């Protein structure tokens, strides 16, 4: 069974508030530098139509459109979609992801990044729609929180902690999936997994800011370069296969519709 997390419920109000705390430009800058972007770009077909379901502020719709893909985004947050349209003229629409207002077999690729885990009933309704709108041979890119090595080691503690939060009134937030659970969920809808990639092993590094320069440029007080080099070395180490399996926060599956 996937590991369930409880805190604030991930309903419409939650996402409206969540996306309101970010800007499209901010998330677009993150996407340009993210290793996830390379994984997505390498897996997508160059031709045909691409749909991102649950696009939020639309940073990947904008970025992939800039790079030549024919892509559209859908989400249930009108505020997030409006914010994206102020930045770029890309195709966007408000839709319920479990019941897409789109015809069968309309798309050559389907992207879902950190979306399906938020349905307390499980990912099946959303994945069924993904399979429906994909052409045979179409590619599905689906990422979810990863039940990695560290989470497996702490699974008993995490389960008890989240049960306590639920008893105290916490709402369901998301599931974390093992590789086998994600592959099985995709397979139930005719989506055969071709590859999986753990990613985002260093969420805490985002808090590791470059310090202010206290001295003159290049002087004794300038510690920016050593700190930046240290962050780079840590990042390279974290993106080795063993540490990705141990610490990867998210898991991306690349699957093909049979």
């Amino acid at each position: 069974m996937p590991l369930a997390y409880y805190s604030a419920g991930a309903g419409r109000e939650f996402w409206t508030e969540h996306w309101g705390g970010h800007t499209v430009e901010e998330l677009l800058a993150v996407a340009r530098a993210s290793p996830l972007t390379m994984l997505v770009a390498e897996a997508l077909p160059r031709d045909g139509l691409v749909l991102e379901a649950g696009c939020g502020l639309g940073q990947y719709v904008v970025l992939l459109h800039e790079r030549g893909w024919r892509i559209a985004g859908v989400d249930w947050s009108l505020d997030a979609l409006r914010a994206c349209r102020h930045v770029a003229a890309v195709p966007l629409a408000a839709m319920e992801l479990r019941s897409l207002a789109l015809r069968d077999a309309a798309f050559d690729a389907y992207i879902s990044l950190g979306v399906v885990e938020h349905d307390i009933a499980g990912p099946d309704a959303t994945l069924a729609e993904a399979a429906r709108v994909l052409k045979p041979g179409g590619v599905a890119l689906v990422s979810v929180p990863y039940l990695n090595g560290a989470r497996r080691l702490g699974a008993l503690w995490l389960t008890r902690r989240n049960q306590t939060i639920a008893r105290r009134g916490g709402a369901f937030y998301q599931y974390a999936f093992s590789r086998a659970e994600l592959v099985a969920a995709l397979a139930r809808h005719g989506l055969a997994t071709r590859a999986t990639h753990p990613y985002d092993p260093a969420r805490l590094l985002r808090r590791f800011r470059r310090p202010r320069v206290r001295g003159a440029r290049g002087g004794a007080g300038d510690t920016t370069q050593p700190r930046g080099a240290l962050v780079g070395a840590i990042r390279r180490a974290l993106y080795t296969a063993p540490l990705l399996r141990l610490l990867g926060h998210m898991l991306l599956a690349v699957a093909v519709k049979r």
Side-chain angles (χ1 to χ4, degrees), residues 4-5 11 15 18-19 24 47-49 55 58 63 84 101 104 107 121 154 159 180 185 189 197 218 220 230 248 258:
Y5 285 79
W15 289 113
H18 172 78
W19 295 126
V24 179
D47 299 321
L49 294 176
C55 65
L63 180 57
C84 184
D104 295 356
F107 293 89
T159 299
H189 304 284
H197 305 281
L230 176 60
R258 298 189 185 95

Side-chain angles (χ1 to χ4, degrees), residues 64-87:
L64 292 170
H65 175 77
E66 289 177 350
R67 296 186 180 184
W69 274 277
R70 295 167 61 203
I71 184 168
V74 297
D75 199 277
W76 66 2
S77 173
L78 283 170
D79 289 340
L81 297 175
R82 289 191 190 104
C84 184
R85 288 302 300 270
H86 283 307
V87 172

Side-chain angles (χ1 to χ4, degrees), residues 59 68 90 103 117 129 146 174-175 197 212 219 223:
Q59 68 272 20
V90 291
R103 63 181 175 84
E117 67 269 18
E129 280 295 271
Y146 181 30
Q174 67 180 15
Y175 292 111
H197 305 281
R212 292 187 178 184
T223 59

Side-chain angles (χ1 to χ4, degrees), residues 15-110:
W15 289 113
T16 297
E17 182 178 351
H18 172 78
W19 295 126
H22 299 278
T23 66
V24 179
E25 294 85 353
E26 169 198 345
L27 296 185
L28 189 54
V30 172
R32 293 187 195 283
S34 172
L36 173 62
T37 301
M38 181 179 68
L39 295 174
V40 169
E42 288 178 347
L44 283 178
R46 285 301 317 185
D47 299 321
L49 294 176
V50 180
L51 176 71
E52 184 180 6
C55 65
L57 287 171
Q59 68 272 20
Y60 272 101
V61 178
V62 175
L63 180 57
L64 292 170
H65 175 77
E66 289 177 350
R67 296 186 180 184
W69 274 277
R70 295 167 61 203
I71 184 168
V74 297
D75 199 277
W76 66 2
S77 173
L78 283 170
D79 289 340
L81 297 175
R82 289 191 190 104
C84 184
R85 288 302 300 270
H86 283 307
V87 172
V90 291
L92 300 169
M95 289 188 195
E96 166 57 61
L97 305 187
R98 293 170 293 188
S99 182
L100 294 169
L102 299 166
R103 63 181 175 84
D104 295 356
F107 293 89
D108 298 271
Y110 175 101

